[in-house]
Amino acid sequence: MIDNRFNALAHWDNPNGDRYTVKLEIISVEMNIDGESGGNALPLIEILKTNIVDRKTNERLDGIVGNNFSSYVRDYDFSVLLLEHAKNQPEFSTPDNFGGLHGKLFKCFVNSDTYKDHFNKPPVICLSVSSSKTYHRTENRHPVLGVEYQQDEYSLTDEYFKKMGLKVRYFMPPNSAAPLAFYFAGDLLGDYTNLELISTISTMDTFQKIYRPEIYNANSPAGKSYRPSLKHQDYSLTRIVYDREERSRLAIEQGRFVEENFIKPYQASLEQWSVNYAL
């Protein structure tokens, strides 16, 4: 699915639609606490690195790092802390400095020598648009990213990623059913080549068709004004089974793990580090 999507977008000098293939690397980020090493390393973040293989030239090209995004601390924030906070609130609100610690941990990783030793460009995270917001199509169109959408108000996820130092733009690539949310630090349109952008689009458009088929595998594309819905009925399923309920349970389990092994035992140290941390 990813290769077919890539070749459909990278159609120039590609008459048979089979010039490229995409290889994915899972990047697992662990953090040692108190400078220790060994068994107490915390699984902090998982992202993907795309690599592009050009069968015509036999070259292996770097794609984009980021793409999908998994974070134990984010699971704690959304699936433990936010849910506990909501139980005692008459209307929706977020805890004080929600996402602040996670944002600084992410910035610390991206600005670390470890990151710079392995990757030469900032990450781009590509996620689903929010089902709580309405998106409006603009006249701006990019040859690879497609037509740009905008919204009047950022979602909770947008605000959370802002604390990670990432801006957001929404684009619906050619032949996609809905816009994707692209989170980035620099210049999304200027910092990355067309092939790099296509590696992210082909990977994450495929993933979202599996994660959220109601939105990204809908049988009719988004219109001028678009509000995503997981209750949409006119969509097709892929041949890949994805259990959203299981993923929700896993988020709670990982969130509890972080709470018990990181947030609570190191709370004083984390608060002191967060206050003093500055780029």
Side-chain angles (χ1 to χ4, degrees), residues 24-29 45-51 62-69 106 109-110 115-116 118-126 166 183-185 192 196-197 199-200 204:
L24 299 178
E25 294 178 80
I26 299 174
I27 309 299
S28 298
V29 183
I45 293 168
E46 278 194 349
I47 50 181
L48 291 177
K49 169 70 165 54
T50 59
N51 300 280
D62 281 334
I64 285 178
V65 63
N67 302 287
N68 208 18
F69 182 74
F106 182 81
F109 162 59
V110 172
Y115 182 92
K116 294 173 183 177
H118 288 85
F119 313 112
N120 57 15
K121 291 186 180 182
V124 176
I125 310 297
C126 182
L166 302 179
Y183 298 92
F184 59 96
Y192 306 92
E196 287 173 336
L197 293 173
S199 72
T200 285
M204 296 313 301

Side-chain angles (χ1 to χ4, degrees), residues 39-193:
N40 75 326
L42 177 79
L44 190 65
I45 293 168
E46 278 194 349
I47 50 181
L48 291 177
K49 169 70 165 54
T50 59
N51 300 280
I52 307 155
V53 178
D54 186 338
R55 294 190 178 108
K56 182 178 179 179
T57 64
N58 292 320
E59 288 181 287
R60 185 182 178 98
L61 309 171
D62 281 334
I64 285 178
V65 63
N67 302 287
N68 208 18
F69 182 74
S70 177
S71 163
Y72 276 48
V73 177
R74 185 179 69 159
D75 283 344
Y76 164 75
D77 281 342
F78 279 91
S79 298
V80 177
L81 181 63
L82 187 60
L83 291 183
E84 291 293 333
H85 176 80
K87 289 180 180 179
N88 303 315
Q89 302 299 320
E91 57 186 34
F92 179 80
S93 65
T94 58
D96 293 340
N97 198 28
F98 182 68
L101 173 63
H102 180 269
K104 290 183 177 181
L105 289 170
F106 182 81
K107 289 178 182 178
C108 185
F109 162 59
V110 172
N111 287 281
S112 68
D113 290 338
T114 301
Y115 182 92
K116 294 173 183 177
D117 287 344
H118 288 85
F119 313 112
N120 57 15
K121 291 186 180 182
V124 176
I125 310 297
C126 182
L127 303 180
S128 169
V129 286
S130 173
S131 58
S132 67
K133 304 299 177 185
T134 299
Y135 299 82
H136 304 282
R137 191 166 66 200
T138 72
E139 296 301 317
N140 191 35
R141 187 179 297 268
H142 185 272
V144 165
L145 291 167
V147 63
E148 185 166 18
Y149 278 73
Q150 293 180 347
Q151 58 160 308
D152 297 330
E153 184 182 11
Y154 288 133
S155 69
L156 180 59
T157 298
D158 295 339
E159 296 290 354
Y160 193 83
F161 275 73
K162 183 178 180 181
K163 292 187 177 181
M164 295 161 57
L166 302 179
K167 299 169 285 188
V168 64
R169 292 178 75 170
Y170 318 96
F171 285 92
M172 187 167 79
N175 298 316
S176 290
L180 292 161
F182 295 86
Y183 298 92
F184 59 96
D187 180 357
L188 179 65
L189 276 61
D191 291 345
Y192 306 92
T193 67

